[in-house]
Amino acid sequence: MEQSRLEKQFAFCLEADKEKLIQRQTLLSNGEKKENDAEHAWHMSLMCILLSEYSNEPIDVLKTISMILIHDVVEIDAGDTYAYDDKAKLSQRDRELKAADRLFNILPDDQAKKLRALWDEFEEGKTPEARFAHTMDNIQPAMLNNSTDGRVWKERGVRLSQILERNKNTPDGSEVLWDYSLNNFIRPNVEKGRIIED
């Protein structure tokens, strides 16, 4: 018997709960444990509400938050890919596309298409909303890394060139927020030797 619309919606909601199990590499601000994907998405969403006034262009905040909330749902199947793990990044796109195909299709067709379109838009990073969502995705972990005195950056031997490459599109969403992150989260950790200057 085919699932009803409501049954499909609840099935996706329950499946999305698994995002709480996906551990990221970034420590929480107290430095005691790593954040999970759901915590990351919630934190970015809150930051988007508060910081959207610094977007380079006007954005639809609700659309941007929706994008933020679903951008990592694919990691339920694909797992988290650490920003500076070059080997894992080679297979990241394929793993995430396969996950998107499965996960979004749990939903009724109209919602599956809507959420998949939002996810694709985030991945392409070409609209004002997607650009700002990417800015949040890069600045949130930088803020947390700074709050723990750059501990993960130091433990992983992260180089400034890697951070700058990772953030090459961050100013596209907000030059103000990128400038703040660079000068308040990143450069102080270079000066303290937590990030390797190269």
Side-chain angles (χ1 to χ4, degrees), residues 48 55 57-68 118 121-122 125-136 172-173:
C48 180
S55 176
E57 307 164 82
I59 58 169
D60 178 333
V61 175
L62 179 58
K63 180 181 178 185
T64 309
I65 290 170
S66 300
M67 200 177 288
I68 286 169
L118 275 176
E121 184 177 335
F122 174 84
K126 293 180 180 173
T127 63
E129 289 79 11
R131 286 192 287 269
F132 194 77
H134 277 280
T135 297
M136 296 292 92
D172 295 347

Side-chain angles (χ1 to χ4, degrees), residues 9 17 20 26 31 43 58 61-62 73 78 91 103 113 135 169 193:
Q9 290 165 325
D17 184 69
K20 298 172 188 173
T26 308
H43 204 186
V61 175
L62 179 58
V73 75
S91 65
L103 290 160
K113 287 175 184 165
T135 297
N169 297 322

Side-chain angles (χ1 to χ4, degrees), residues 20 22-37 39 144 148 151-152:
K20 298 172 188 173
I22 308 301
Q23 190 176 67
R24 294 170 48 80
Q25 298 306 308
T26 308
L27 291 167
L28 296 177
S29 59
N30 67 4
E32 292 182 12
K33 76 174 190 88
K34 293 176 180 176
E35 73 174 348
N36 65 47
D37 271 359
E39 291 166 332
L144 289 181
T148 57
R151 193 166 111 202
V152 173

Side-chain angles (χ1 to χ4, degrees), residues 5-150:
R5 179 178 179 84
L6 187 55
E7 285 170 333
K8 289 178 181 179
Q9 290 165 325
F10 270 114
F12 181 84
C13 290
L14 185 59
E15 191 72 5
D17 184 69
K18 293 178 182 174
E19 200 171 346
K20 298 172 188 173
L21 303 173
I22 308 301
Q23 190 176 67
R24 294 170 48 80
Q25 298 306 308
T26 308
L27 291 167
L28 296 177
S29 59
N30 67 4
E32 292 182 12
K33 76 174 190 88
K34 293 176 180 176
E35 73 174 348
N36 65 47
D37 271 359
E39 291 166 332
H40 171 62
W42 162 80
H43 204 186
M44 286 172 55
S45 297
L46 178 62
M47 290 173 67
C48 180
I49 292 167
L50 299 174
L51 303 174
S52 59
E53 65 189 83
Y54 301 106
S55 176
N56 292 341
E57 307 164 82
I59 58 169
D60 178 333
V61 175
L62 179 58
K63 180 181 178 185
T64 309
I65 290 170
S66 300
M67 200 177 288
I68 286 169
L69 287 172
I70 58 108
H71 85 286
D72 275 343
V73 75
V74 295
E75 293 185 2
I76 290 168
D77 288 358
D80 176 58
T81 303
Y82 182 53
Y84 307 114
D85 183 343
D86 292 333
K87 185 178 177 187
K89 285 196 285 188
L90 293 174
S91 65
Q92 180 179 7
R93 182 73 178 150
D94 288 340
R95 287 183 283 118
E96 291 186 352
L97 283 170
K98 185 177 176 183
D101 288 343
R102 183 186 82 80
L103 290 160
F104 294 125
N105 284 315
I106 293 170
L107 286 161
D109 287 345
D110 62 321
Q111 290 183 325
K113 287 175 184 165
K114 181 178 179 180
L115 265 61
R116 177 59 186 264
L118 275 176
W119 184 78
D120 287 335
E121 184 177 335
F122 174 84
E123 289 295 303
E124 291 165 9
K126 293 180 180 173
T127 63
E129 289 79 11
R131 286 192 287 269
F132 194 77
H134 277 280
T135 297
M136 296 292 92
D137 199 24
N138 291 336
I139 286 177
Q140 187 263 357
M143 178 184 71
L144 289 181
N145 276 310
N146 178 65
S147 75
T148 57
D149 202 29

